[in-house]
Amino acid sequence: MLISHVFEDRVLHVTLLRDLDVTGRAAVILHIETLLATHGPRHVRIQLPTHDPSPASLSVLARARRLCESLGTPLTVVGPIRIAPRSRPAAA
């Protein structure tokens, strides 16, 4: 699986599960096109798996942006979720 998605409150949340290579790029774009056609979201949010995306991942973002623009749907791109380290109690 290359992406996961959640459709909530008319917002389509798409998560790239890993940085893409050329072979995965077409499949992801087709999946995103299908999700846009199926759900008709009022907003799309794409989450990247890394702070330094591959050229194929950037290509997917560019295509998704063009698709969203053609539909008049805003697109937001966010980076990976950063999990804060657990704080330890101070030593006594």
Side-chain angles (χ1 to χ4, degrees), residues 7-59:
F7 185 66
E8 182 176 66
D9 295 328
R10 297 202 54 220
V11 177
L12 177 61
H13 301 270
V14 177
T15 301
L16 296 178
L17 299 176
R18 62 180 174 87
D19 210 18
L20 300 173
D21 56 16
V22 173
T23 58
R25 179 180 59 189
V28 169
I29 277 300
L30 183 60
H31 196 162
I32 291 172
E33 285 179 9
T34 303
L35 291 170
L36 288 170
T38 301
H39 296 295
R42 66 173 171 79
H43 190 93
V44 176
R45 179 184 170 274
I46 297 179
Q47 182 174 349
L48 298 174
T50 178
H51 290 289
D52 187 22
S54 67
S57 293
L58 292 174
S59 176

